Amino acid sequence: MDFGMPTLIELNKLEDCAVLCKELGLQFIELNMNLPQYQINRIDTDKFLKIAEKYGIYYTIHLDENLNVSDFNSDVANAYTKTVLETIELSKDLGVPVLNMHLSKGVYFTLPDRKVFLFSEYKEHYLKSIKSFINVCETALKDSSIKISIENTDGFKDFHIEALELFMKSPVFTLTFDIGHDYCIGQSDEKIILNYGEKLYHMHLHDANSNGKNHLTLGTGEIDLQKYLNLARNNNCRVVLETKTIDALKKSVDWLERNQSNA
């Protein structure tokens, strides 16, 4: 089972991340495309490959969290889809095995008694856009082993659940289980994810507590981490230790080293 680290805000340069990754005995770095230095037009493929070879690591990619391939403005939706397709081609060059993505909630209207999500209200349009996105990704990945893995965030909405039924029928889409996000919403997404257990491909591991704090150092929260390490192992998942600071990452690796034998 491979363990990796996220790109950290404290380390602006890729090579600094790679130094830490090797020092901690981790296998990969998840490049976060929300950061300016990891935009497609700023990635020097040869340089990234040389750094990977120098430190004996590889990369996964976390797509922009703003990604919305279902936006009602077709120009906006097409721009996001184009970004994914360009990232797929970049991933082929870099040897990236998985792209992690969030499902957008879109815009909602706040009524006196409830929130109305426009993707739910206009679900036919939403699901049509999802089908189109799946089709173009399947075409782009038809000769590749790269997977696009959908991550849970703060609770799948009804339209997300219907979209997942479409995604999970595709050979190129899989699931990322973020256990901290799920814990903070009462673990309502876990059942949905495990319903597609054979599609579980990637995991974001961090601790959390009932006060809604997540991305905590392993062993400092309330999650049964051994349970999810076993789940990751049984599904042959890559695991990102998704803490947000160098100190928390180092302490999480230390916790993992002390507890892996018990998993």
Side-chain angles (χ1 to χ4, degrees):
M1 186 163 60
D2 284 0
F3 291 92
M5 60 174 279
T7 39
L8 301 171
I9 198 71
E10 296 168 281
L11 300 173
N12 289 327
K13 295 181 179 179
L14 175 64
E15 188 156 8
D16 291 338
C17 289
V19 169
L20 181 61
C21 188
K22 181 177 176 63
E23 174 191 327
L24 295 177
L26 301 174
Q27 286 74 52
F28 67 93
I29 299 170
E30 187 145 283
L31 306 176
N32 192 319
M33 299 191 81
N34 292 286
L35 296 169
Q37 63 267 39
Y38 300 118
Q39 300 305 305
I40 292 172
N41 62 351
R42 295 188 63 179
I43 291 179
D44 182 331
T45 303
D46 289 340
K47 179 180 178 180
F48 275 52
L49 287 172
K50 287 178 181 177
I51 289 173
E53 182 178 5
K54 179 179 179 180
Y55 295 97
I57 62 170
Y58 64 93
Y59 308 113
T60 62
I61 289 179
H62 193 306
L63 291 164
D64 190 331
E65 292 180 18
N66 294 314
L67 192 79
N68 183 0
V69 299
S70 301
D71 197 282
F72 296 131
N73 184 321
S74 60
D75 289 339
V76 173
N78 290 338
Y80 279 124
T81 299
K82 180 174 179 285
T83 298
V84 174
L85 294 176
E86 290 175 347
T87 307
I88 286 172
E89 295 309 308
L90 173 68
S91 297
K92 292 176 183 178
D93 293 337
L94 287 178
V96 169
V98 60
L99 311 179
N100 186 82
M101 70 172 281
H102 293 183
L103 292 182
S104 176
K105 292 185 295 185
V107 174
Y108 61 83
F109 283 14
T110 303
L111 303 186
D113 60 338
R114 69 190 190 281
K115 292 179 180 178
V116 176
F117 287 86
L118 298 189
F119 286 159
S120 182
E121 192 72 7
Y122 299 92
K123 195 179 295 182
E124 183 177 350
H125 172 96
Y126 173 73
L127 294 177
K128 182 179 180 181
S129 70
I130 294 297
K131 290 176 183 177
S132 175
F133 178 65
I134 291 170
N135 288 338
V136 297
C137 289
E138 286 180 343
T139 298
L141 289 168
K142 63 181 179 180
D143 297 319
S144 172
S145 61
I146 297 169
K147 303 297 182 186
I148 302 175
S149 207
I150 297 168
E151 178 188 355
N152 59 299
T153 53
D154 55 356
F156 289 124
K157 304 301 180 187
D158 63 306
F159 49 90
H160 289 151
I161 293 171
E162 290 192 40
L164 281 176
E165 291 182 13
L166 301 174
F167 280 120
M168 294 303 98
K169 291 176 182 176
S170 170
V172 306
F173 285 91
T174 58
L175 288 169
T176 297
F177 191 5
D178 187 302
I179 67 168
H181 290 165
D182 186 54
Y183 190 85
C184 288
I185 59 166
Q187 298 177 282
S188 61
D189 282 340
E190 180 171 341
K191 183 178 179 180
I192 296 168
I193 290 170
L194 295 185
N195 186 49
Y196 300 105
E198 75 285 355
K199 285 283 193 171
L200 181 55
Y201 193 75
H202 201 55
M203 184 175 285
H204 286 176
L205 190 78
H206 46 100
D207 223 327
N209 62 37
S210 52
N211 293 325
K213 291 184 178 180
N214 63 26
H215 299 289
L216 300 179
T217 303
L218 298 184
T220 65
E222 302 166 359
I223 297 179
D224 181 355
L225 298 170
Q226 299 290 7
K227 168 186 171 182
Y228 295 106
L229 283 168
N230 287 332
L231 178 64
R233 182 175 292 104
N234 291 339
N235 285 274
N236 198 30
C237 293
R238 290 177 181 83
V239 178
V240 181
L241 303 179
E242 202 187 29
T243 56
K244 299 299 184 180
T245 67
I246 296 171
D247 182 62
L249 181 62
K250 288 181 175 180
K251 289 177 179 176
S252 292
V253 169
D254 181 63
W255 182 93
L256 195 64
E257 290 174 347
R258 287 184 285 107
N259 289 274
Q260 264 286 81
S261 60
N262 299 323

